[in-house]
Amino acid sequence: MTKWEYVTVPLLIHATKAILDQWGEDGWELVQVVPGPAGSDNLVAYLKRPKA
């Protein structure tokens, strides 16, 4: 059975692709993107990757 580790990452609207590309290079897979805290223009990404 695969064991996973997770991370939440703040996404800046103007740099979303660059941020996700960098995490993807490190082996992280995007699970979901949700709105950031109230009053914020940012998003929060949830990512996962198999534990070593």
Side-chain angles (χ1 to χ4, degrees):
M1 174 185 254
T2 303
K3 296 191 180 204
W4 300 94
E5 60 180 328
Y6 299 89
V7 67
T8 56
V9 179
L11 296 176
L12 305 173
I13 298 290
H14 65 276
T16 302
K17 182 183 180 326
I19 293 167
L20 292 175
D21 282 349
Q22 182 60 53
W23 283 89
E25 285 289 321
D26 292 337
W28 292 94
E29 178 181 353
L30 179 63
V31 176
Q32 183 176 14
V33 175
V34 298
S40 169
D41 288 338
N42 295 335
L43 301 170
V44 177
Y46 289 80
L47 301 104
K48 71 177 185 177
R49 72 178 173 187
K51 279 190 170 184

